[in-house]
């Protein structure tokens, strides 16, 4: 399978301590993306950030390092990303979901 040309990037911003049915939310999102046949998903851990609460979460202060920001990034064809969006309504109570149109230069798997 190859993907190149116009595509869509889905970025999901959540907290590290966010849960779905007693498991990490980011893990559930990645598992569902895989099950949906999306091209791939990556989870990135932030070293500092704040969200709607305006409370700073940072690795510099141990007492605030328990809920660092995470972003899950998924890139695939527009129609596949759009078909996946309804699952996020069920999963995400708090967080930010953004979509960007992107140009894939090269992506392929054996």
């Amino acid at each position: 399978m190859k993907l190149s040309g116009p595509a869509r990037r889905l970025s999901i911003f959540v907290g590290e301590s966010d849960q779905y049915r007693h498991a990490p939310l980011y893990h559930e999102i990645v598992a569902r993306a895989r099950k949906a046949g999306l091209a791939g998903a990556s989870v990135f851990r932030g070293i500092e950030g704040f969200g709607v609460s305006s409370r700073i979460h940072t690795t510099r202060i141990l007492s605030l390092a328990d809920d660092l920001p995470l972003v899950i990034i998924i890139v695939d064809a527009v129609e596949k990303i759009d078909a996946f969006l309804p699952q996020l309504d069920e999963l995400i109570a708090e967080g930010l979901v953004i979509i960007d149109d992107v140009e894939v230069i090269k992506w392929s798997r054996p």
Side-chain angles (χ1 to χ4, degrees), residues 29-99:
I29 292 170
V30 169
R32 287 190 185 201
R34 185 170 187 256
K35 186 176 179 181
L38 295 174
S42 297
V43 179
F44 299 92
R45 184 179 193 219
I47 60 171
E48 185 168 275
F50 70 93
V52 71
S53 72
S54 294
R55 181 173 174 228
I56 300 270
H57 301 273
T58 178
T59 57
R60 293 183 294 140
I61 304 170
L62 290 178
S63 64
L64 297 178
D66 61 342
D67 190 22
L68 293 169
L70 299 178
V71 62
I72 303 109
I73 298 178
I74 303 168
V75 177
D76 208 321
V78 171
E79 59 275 358
K80 291 183 84 175
I81 293 292
D82 289 347
F84 185 69
L85 291 176
Q87 293 198 50
L88 298 179
D89 286 335
E90 175 190 348
L91 295 173
I92 299 174
E94 286 185 17
L96 173 67
V97 178
I98 62 173
I99 294 176

